[in-house]
């Protein structure tokens, strides 16, 4: 199940690229000699009628051309009969008409990775029993969460007696309660993929004599909510299985004893279920096991090391997030010469490796995060020359063998050493990483050079000093950079114009200086410069970033007025028009905050300009950013009144205007801010009566003090004179242009396509996602994944 975060990531990137240039696995051959069979051509044209070919991918399908030369069509070169239809990933929508199975000689049908809306199963009058040569059928979809594809029954499968490979991944089959019966009638079936099909049940009343699944070699039922009442009989019938994926199928209880009958198993994936109890020792008799995945269950016992020691074919071991105990030493791994992948994260093993142990394997992937390794860096890892992924975060390491350590970390593409106490100076290194997490350590000295391929750099909470190396201008794929809380200085922002894909920038709590440039990545979501020495004015461009939702410039030396046009902070104004709002994911992070150990910054829509030397009036546009939840303008020299339109900032939770020179009355509309949990208007020149309303009276006097002319609860009672004080001229003017502006904001939408990578791409990469991975265990993570897929799909639809 690791796939989603580590393997699928580049794959999704690839997918995105391929969306515009649909791959053609085989170019259609120009058959000059063979003529297409007319009946076949007719069948194909009927199939085409249902299809909405919005990308023109099958525009060659016309009678002007011989049908054997149509895109994706392959004929037998002697008889001219259609034998293959290869339309995977062609951007097709509309209807799959299964009358296509009337092609008598069809042996291969691939319609996967399209975006069809409906499957039309012809009624019995239309005989679809012809395709008896069909051995490969793939109707799978990738965008399962938004897909409406469903099938109410699988009866049409019965005649497909030659079928060997059946992939219906992502198609909703929940209405077909007899799915098992249906597939069991396929005498030649080798591979069955029903992942994410919303199938719920094994048939409780198995007419066992009719079920013949002995041919089955591959079975994937992952990501379904299957009630596993008594599938023992099922695994007794499938003794030849080599590949079994039951990840996230909601299995409870102990590991089924009948699984141990599957002596030929090479791949067993039971991750993300609710399995408890011990892992039976007999698992070690599954001598062919290459890939064992028990990640994210509640399994316990101390016999795992001895089981692993005996599985000499093992290449891939993923057992993190369980309750195992025991001792792992070089003996555990001594026979595993094919080992490539180990994930033991968050396990309570005692690790005891001989200092001089040289493993018989070369790993590609190692995660020992949140295990007990320290204080010494495990020396056997220095021998691993092929590592692509190393996660040793939170493993108690403080001491390293400097030379070995430097040469190891220099070459690993994905490197996480977060949350240890490593104190090295790595300034002379050039790290060849694309994802680098060294945060929460005590690294000292200058920043290292980093490969131009880097997309994520998190060096926060260390003691790095000096300036950002000039070479970092090369990081043109940089997505996420976090240097929070170091001792860095110099003019950091000169690099910004070269980081054109940047989405998260956090340079806070350093000693950086210089001015904010006008050329910025349009994808920025987070822009955090808090507590530095930045000076000059705030460029207007910063308020035109359509996807920005967290702006923190506080505790700097910025001066001058706020820029006039705060129009294009689109994410702070409106939810995206897309109904699959990508904001869901942020909201969700907010609620989930407690899960994260490193919440230096929340995901609330925030503008914090406090503690600078800003002056002048606050443009009323700022108060139109109705999605803002935190607004802090305190400790500046702002003047002018609060406009009535502030009452429209309905999501406001925290508002601090204190220590400025604001004046006039507090508008009555502020009592409409019903989520307001923190308010500070103190030390200004407000006057008149504090408006009555539960909200404003719920704060105590400290929210209002330092305004000598302000009165009413919770301050002292107003004298009659103060109470009758009328609205000042300035605030009336403000109210007038409020309504004009309002219409402007309502009309604004978000260009989803452009924003996609700005929003969702970043979610994928930011470090919180690594924590989010854990949450897959309780199924919450699925939601995230689904949300991501929603984005991807919506993006594609655009
Ligand atoms: C075809 O697909 C496009 C894009 O998906 C859509 O805009 C159009 O309405 C569809 N046409 C039909 C006839 O379904
Ligand atoms: C026909 O196709 C087969 C493979 O599909 C190929 O081996 C053979 O050479 C082809 N014959 C002609 C005449 O193209
Ligand atoms: C369907 O085709 C099969 C074999 O080709 C034939 O035996 C059967 O009678 C046909 N059924 C109908 C309803 O046409
Ligand atoms: C089945 O379909 C899914 C989704 O398209 C795909 O990931 C998987 O590789 C397919 N299985 C096989 C054996 O091709
Ligand atoms: C899955 O099946 C349940 C019934 O078992 C149904 O209520 C639900 O809508 C289905 N979910 C999807 C996404 O189709
Ligand atoms: C899975 O099914 C069980 C019982 O059939 C039900 O209680 C549970 O809510 C379902 N879980 C999900 C995530 O659909
Ligand atoms: C399945 O196998 C288990 C273990 O070998 C055995 O106890 C059980 O009786 C078998 N069940 C059936 C239905 O054959
Ligand atoms: C970095 O390299 C320079 C020149 O080779 C050397 O003088 C310095 O000591 C090195 N610094 C570290 C921390 O290794
Ligand atoms: C980091 O190192 C400095 C100086 O060596 C030390 O004062 C500080 O306590 C260390 N911090 C941590 C978290 O180890
Ligand atoms: C940085 O960007 C500037 C123009 O914005 C360009 O001239 C320069 O070559 C870039 N530097 C690097 C190292 O890519
Ligand atoms: C807002 O963005 C649009 C498109 O990016 C641009 O045309 C417009 O000038 C911007 N508005 C302001 C006030 O900068
Ligand atoms: C303020 O006025 C209310 C009635 O409006 C009165 O009950 C209260 O005693 C007064 N408080 C003070 C401090 O004068």
């Amino acid at each position: 199940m690791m796939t989603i975060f580590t393997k699928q990531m580049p794959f999704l990137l690839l997918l995105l690229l391929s969306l515009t240039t649909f791959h053609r696995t085989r170019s259609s051959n120009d058959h000059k000699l063979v003529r297409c069979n007319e009946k076949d051509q007719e069948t194909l044209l009927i199939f085409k009628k249902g299809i909405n070919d919005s990308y023109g991918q099958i525009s060659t399908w016309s009678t002007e051309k011989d049908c054997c030369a149509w895109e994706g069509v392959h004929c037998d070169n002697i008889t001219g009969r259609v034998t293959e239809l290869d339309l995977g990933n062609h951007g097709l929508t509309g209807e799959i008409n299964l009358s296509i199975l009337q092609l008598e000689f069809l042996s291969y049908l691939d319609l996967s990775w399209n975006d069809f809306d409906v499957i039309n199963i012809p009624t019995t009058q239309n005989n679809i029993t012809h395709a008896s040569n069909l051995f490969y059928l793939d109707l799978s979809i990738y965008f399962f969460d938004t897909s409406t594809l469903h099938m109410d029954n699988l009866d049409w499968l019965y005649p497909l007696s030659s079928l060997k490979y059946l992939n219906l991944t992502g198609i909703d089959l929940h209405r077909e309660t007899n799915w098992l019966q249906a597939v069991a009638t396929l005498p030649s079936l080798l591979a069955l993929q029903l992942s994410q099909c919303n199938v719920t049940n094994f048939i409780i009343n198995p007419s066992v004599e009719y079920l013949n699944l002995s041919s089955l070699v591959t079975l994937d039922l992952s990501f379904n909510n299957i009630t596993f009442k008594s599938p023992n009989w099922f695994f007794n019938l499938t003794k030849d299985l080599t590949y079994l994926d039951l990840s996230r199928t909601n299995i409870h209880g102990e590991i089924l004893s009948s699984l141990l009958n599957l002596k030929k198993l090479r791949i067993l994936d039971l991750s993300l279920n609710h399995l408890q109890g011990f892992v039976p020792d007999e698992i070690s008799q599954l001598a062919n096991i290459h890939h064992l995945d028990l990640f994210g269950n509640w399994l316990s016992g101390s016999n795992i090391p001895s089981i692993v020691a005996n599985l000499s074919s093992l290449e891939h071991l993923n057992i993190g997030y369980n309750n195992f105990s025991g001792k792992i030493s070089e003996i555990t791994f001594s026979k595993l010469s094919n080992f490539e992948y180990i994930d033991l994260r968050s396990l309570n093993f005692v690790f005891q490796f001989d200092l001089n142990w040289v493993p018989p394997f070369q790993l590609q992937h190692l995660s020992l995060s949140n295990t007990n390794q320290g204080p010494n860096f495990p020396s056997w890892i220095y021998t691993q020359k092929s590592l692509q992924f190393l996660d040793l975060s939170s493993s108690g390491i403080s001491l390293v063998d400097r030379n070995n350590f430097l040469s190891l970390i220099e070459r690993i593409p994905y490197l996480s050493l977060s949350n240890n106490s490593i104190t090295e100076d790595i300034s002379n290194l050039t790290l060849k990483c694309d994802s680098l997490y060294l945060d929460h350590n005590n690294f000292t000295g200058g920043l290292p050079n980093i490969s131009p391929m880097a997309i994520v750099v998190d060096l926060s909470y260390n003691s790095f000093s000096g300036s950002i190396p000039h070479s970092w201008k090369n990081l043109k794929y940089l997505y996420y950079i976090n240097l929070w809380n170091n001792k860095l200085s110099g003019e950091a922002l000169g690099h910004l114009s070269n980081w054109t894909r940047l989405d998260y920038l956090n340079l806070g709590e350093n000693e950086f200086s210089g001015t904010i440039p006008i050329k910025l990545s349009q994808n920025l979501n987070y822009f955090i410069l808090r507590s530095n020495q930045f000076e000059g004015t705030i460029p207007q461009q910063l308020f035109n970033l359509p996807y920005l939702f967290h702006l923190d410039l506080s505790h700097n030396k910025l001066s001058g007025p706020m820029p006039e046009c705060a129009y294009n902070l689109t994410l702070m104004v409106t939810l995206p028009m897309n109904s699959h709002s990508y904001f869901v994911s942020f909201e969700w992070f907010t609620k989930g905050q407690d899960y994260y150990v490193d919440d230096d910054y929340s995901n609330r829509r925030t503008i914090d300009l406090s503690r600078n030397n800003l002056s002048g009036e606050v443009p009323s546009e700022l108060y139109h950013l109705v999605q803002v939840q935190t607004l802090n303008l305190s400790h500046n020299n702002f003047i002018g009144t609060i406009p009535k339109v502030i009452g429209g900032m309905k999501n406001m939770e925290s508002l601090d205007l204190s220590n400025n020179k604001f004046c006039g009355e507090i508008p009555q509309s502020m009592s409409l801010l019903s989520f307001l949990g923190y308010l500070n208007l103190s030390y200004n020149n407000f006057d008149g009566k504090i408006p009555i309303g539960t909200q404003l009276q719920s704060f105590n006097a400290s929210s209002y003090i330092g305004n000598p002319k302000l009165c009413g609860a919770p301050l002292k009672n107003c004298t009659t004179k103060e109470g009758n004080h009328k609205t000042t001229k300035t605030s009336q003017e403000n109210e007038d242009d409020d309504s004009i502006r309002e219409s402007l904001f309502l009309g604004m939408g978000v260009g989803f396509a452009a924003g996609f990578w700005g929003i969702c791409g970043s979610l994928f990469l930011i470090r919180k996602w690594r924590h989010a991975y854990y949450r897959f265990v309780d199924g919450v993570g699925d939601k995230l994944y689904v949300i991501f897929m929603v984005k991807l799909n919506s993006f594609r639809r655009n």
Side-chain angles (χ1 to χ4, degrees), residues 96-167:
I96 298 179
N97 189 339
L98 282 183
S99 68
I100 194 69
L101 296 177
Q102 285 169 12
L103 294 171
E104 292 161 72
F105 292 89
L106 193 66
S107 64
Y108 183 99
L109 177 58
D110 181 3
L111 299 175
S112 64
W113 283 57
N114 287 295
D115 200 6
F116 289 109
D117 306 305
V118 62
I119 298 177
N120 178 1
I121 304 172
T123 52
T124 41
Q125 293 100 297
N126 299 328
N127 200 337
I128 57 162
T129 65
H130 291 297
S132 55
N133 291 314
L134 197 67
F135 80 93
Y136 184 98
L137 178 57
D138 189 350
L139 303 180
S140 66
I141 41 182
Y142 210 82
F143 306 104
F144 53 89
D145 59 300
T146 51
S147 173
T148 53
L149 271 196
H150 62 93
M151 279 196 260
D152 292 355
N153 71 72
L154 293 174
D155 294 345
W156 54 276
L157 283 175
Y158 288 101
L160 306 179
S161 54
S162 304
L163 205 57
K164 287 191 163 77
Y165 302 91
L166 177 61
N167 193 344

Side-chain angles (χ1 to χ4, degrees), residues 33 75-78:
L33 302 172
C75 296
D76 183 290
N77 55 10
I78 295 164

Side-chain angles (χ1 to χ4, degrees), residues 493-494 496-497 515-522 524 527 537-545:
L493 297 179
L496 273 180
S497 61
T515 57
I516 303 177
I518 58 173
K519 191 161 177 257
L520 300 164
S521 159
Q522 290 298 301
L524 279 164
F527 193 86
T537 56
I538 301 176
Q540 183 190 316
Q541 284 76 3
L542 199 54
F543 281 84
N544 281 333
L545 296 172

Side-chain angles (χ1 to χ4, degrees), residues 665-671 688-697 704 710-711 713:
E665 292 196 335
I666 297 171
Q668 176 70 42
S669 64
M670 270 186 72
S671 61
K689 188 168 188 283
I690 296 171
I692 304 292
T694 46
Q695 209 59 35
L696 296 180
Q697 272 66 47
Y704 302 99
L710 199 58
C711 63

Side-chain angles (χ1 to χ4, degrees), residues 678-695:
Y678 177 83
L679 175 70
N680 194 350
L681 302 178
S682 63
Y683 299 101
N684 279 290
N685 294 319
F686 291 115
D687 57 31
K689 188 168 188 283
I690 296 171
I692 304 292
T694 46
Q695 209 59 35

